[in-house]
Amino acid sequence: MTKQNVVVSGTKSGISMAIAVAVTNSALFTTASQKPPAVPGTYFSISKKKLLQNLEINTGAKINSWVDSMRASSPTHLKSTPPLSSDDQSSSTLHHPSALDMFEQITNASKGKQIVMFLDYDGTLSPIVEDPDRAFMSDAMRAAVRKLAGCFPTAIVSGRCRDKVYSFVRLAELYYAGSHGMDIKGPSKGSKHKKGAQAVLFQPDTANEFLPMIDEVYEALLEKTKSTEGAKVENNKFCVSVHFRCVDEKKWVELAQQVKSVLMDYPKLRLTQGRMVLEIRPTIKWDKGKALEFLLESLGYANRKDVFPVYIGDDRTDEDAFKVLKERRQGFGILVSKTPKETSASYSLQEPGEVMNFLQRLVQWKRRCLGEFEDSLKT
């Protein structure tokens, strides 16, 4: 177990102080071997298959393993694979039942507990689009998330930089964790779910020292990849993303070689794989799972048994959060995917439309419970 320093800033006093948060180490691209949370519907057993190679530069990952990982995350590749047998489909449904179909069991498991919502952005609240700068969420989804935040503490956890994801969501009452949880900010206009007047501001200890390095890599990758049609490089403050969703598969080896040639000079950075994106990140022991734990602590739920975290995401980087929930044996994760995947999530939803439906039903359920409680006080 290691410790990271965080900064908590008071909105009124403007005073910042560093505190230590204990975090555990976790390997990249592995699934948790622990038993699933003891809640209805989490009745699955998944074999531990290693789908991806470790992509860290300083371990000497080879180009072909990078390309294999790029191919594994490609919707085009998924479409070209043989259709699943009926047995495989039935197994996937059994192991990761629809959160909509199991809604009653989910809400029953959460009764008497404080639900805390964690939501990925791309592929969860907005569809995956060719141009990542145009990954806009619909007005209906924004309305659903606003109502959700009125009922439960709600955080957006994204690989995007915090400012970028906020520009998409535009809801001041939420918590935002950008750069895979390395940049966290609390509600700018206050939240009825947070005791006290502090706004959470977090960055891992020594993270700022990586900023010049990240900027250098961003500029170098812009120059190096400009010959690869469709490649898009994005500076997400504490990480650099190289999107290849518009790159011809025949050019993936070329793109991987370009990325490797730049990163060879930066041993303090590592390469990880997301959904149709290569991500260059600092070698800091921090991820979306650590961000989830930090936010629960900042909300006062770190050691409470009556908290019920729900994390919804579609990306490999969301697995860190899914695994944390399994280890805590509290709440559950929901994977957003149209195809069966090995995951530590307990339930599934197929696409953002189903996510919105689930969030709307959750708000309706909460309001109905509150109405019943108020009626009971009158009798």
Side-chain angles (χ1 to χ4, degrees):
M1 178 173 291
T2 59
K3 287 191 175 182
Q4 298 287 347
N5 287 337
V6 303
V7 176
V8 179
S9 296
T11 55
K12 291 185 177 180
S13 65
I15 298 175
S16 298
M17 64 178 181
I19 61 174
V21 178
V23 298
T24 56
N25 297 330
S26 61
L28 286 173
F29 305 145
T30 57
T31 55
S33 58
Q34 289 85 354
K35 294 181 180 180
V39 298
T42 54
Y43 38 72
F44 65 95
S45 176
I46 305 174
S47 61
K48 189 174 182 180
K49 299 177 181 178
K50 188 173 182 181
L51 296 178
L52 303 171
Q53 298 292 328
N54 190 321
L55 294 179
E56 292 186 355
I57 292 296
N58 57 8
T59 60
K62 296 180 179 179
I63 292 293
N64 59 353
S65 69
W66 293 17
V67 176
D68 287 344
S69 293
M70 293 164 73
R71 186 173 293 113
S73 72
S74 166
T76 302
H77 175 71
L78 292 172
K79 290 177 182 178
S80 66
T81 56
L84 292 171
S85 67
S86 58
D87 288 342
D88 288 337
Q89 291 178 342
S90 297
S91 176
S92 176
T93 301
L94 173 64
H95 297 333
H96 310 98
S98 167
L100 292 173
D101 292 343
M102 305 297 290
F103 187 80
E104 184 176 352
Q105 288 88 335
I106 291 171
T107 52
N108 285 340
S110 68
K111 285 183 177 178
K113 300 177 182 179
Q114 173 62 64
I115 293 176
V116 183
M117 298 296 301
F118 299 89
L119 307 169
D120 183 28
Y121 183 75
D122 293 277
T124 300
L125 299 181
S126 73
I128 296 294
V129 295
E130 289 189 354
D131 183 355
D133 288 335
R134 299 189 62 80
F136 304 119
M137 68 190 303
S138 67
D139 291 339
M141 180 66 86
R142 182 174 294 103
V145 175
R146 180 184 290 112
K147 292 176 182 177
L148 183 77
C151 295
F152 314 105
T154 301
I156 308 295
V157 187
S158 174
R160 304 268 197 153
C161 71
R162 177 166 53 83
D163 290 341
K164 174 64 74 66
V165 75
Y166 180 82
S167 71
F168 285 139
V169 180
R170 303 197 308 274
L171 294 175
E173 57 266 43
L174 307 183
Y175 292 81
Y176 290 88
S179 301
H180 300 285
M182 286 188 282
D183 190 12
I184 300 177
K185 184 72 164 58
S188 60
K189 68 175 188 180
S191 171
K192 66 180 182 180
H193 306 294
K194 178 72 172 75
K195 296 179 181 179
Q198 286 187 328
V200 179
L201 178 62
F202 163 84
Q203 293 171 359
D205 188 30
T206 72
N208 283 329
E209 72 181 40
F210 287 91
L211 292 178
M213 192 182 304
I214 290 293
D215 290 339
E216 288 178 14
V217 169
Y218 170 69
E219 295 295 337
L221 285 172
L222 277 179
E223 180 65 25
K224 184 69 70 172
T225 63
K226 67 181 182 181
S227 62
T228 303
E229 185 178 357
K232 183 174 180 61
V233 184
E234 183 179 17
N235 189 333
N236 285 310
K237 189 173 181 177
F238 289 105
C239 64
V240 178
S241 301
V242 181
H243 300 274
F244 59 89
R245 62 190 65 170
C246 295
V247 176
D248 190 312
E249 187 172 344
K250 295 177 182 178
K251 295 288 187 179
W252 286 0
V253 171
E254 175 185 307
L255 180 62
Q257 289 172 336
Q258 292 168 346
V259 173
K260 181 180 180 181
S261 69
V262 170
L263 294 188
M264 285 178 64
D265 297 329
Y266 297 92
K268 291 185 177 181
L269 299 179
R270 59 182 175 134
L271 180 71
T272 62
Q273 172 75 39
R275 186 173 177 183
M276 294 296 287
V277 62
L278 297 172
E279 295 178 309
I280 295 88
R281 301 158 63 179
T283 52
I284 295 175
K285 298 297 183 181
W286 200 265
D287 52 41
K288 291 182 176 181
K290 308 297 190 300
L292 182 152
E293 291 181 310
F294 171 78
L295 283 167
L296 286 177
E297 180 171 343
S298 73
L299 285 164
Y301 300 125
N303 300 311
R304 288 174 53 172
K305 300 297 183 182
D306 61 343
V307 62
F308 198 84
V310 178
Y311 190 106
I312 308 178
D314 74 312
D315 200 276
R316 289 173 184 160
T317 58
D318 297 313
E319 290 296 326
D320 294 314
F322 295 155
K323 285 184 284 187
V324 164
L325 294 181
K326 288 185 69 173
E327 291 165 1
R328 292 173 64 97
R329 301 183 69 83
Q330 287 182 309
F332 55 83
I334 300 177
L335 174 69
V336 183
S337 177
K338 290 184 177 181
T339 59
K341 295 180 181 179
E342 184 174 3
T343 179
S344 292
S346 303
Y347 301 99
S348 65
L349 293 168
Q350 292 200 5
E351 40 83 26
E354 287 198 352
V355 173
M356 183 170 68
N357 190 352
F358 179 81
L359 300 183
Q360 290 170 336
R361 289 182 63 181
L362 201 57
V363 169
Q364 292 168 0
W365 169 80
K366 178 65 173 181
R367 289 176 174 175
R368 185 169 61 251
C369 290
L370 288 175
E372 292 173 356
F373 176 73
E374 290 173 357
D375 289 342
S376 68
L377 296 178
K378 297 175 183 178
T379 59

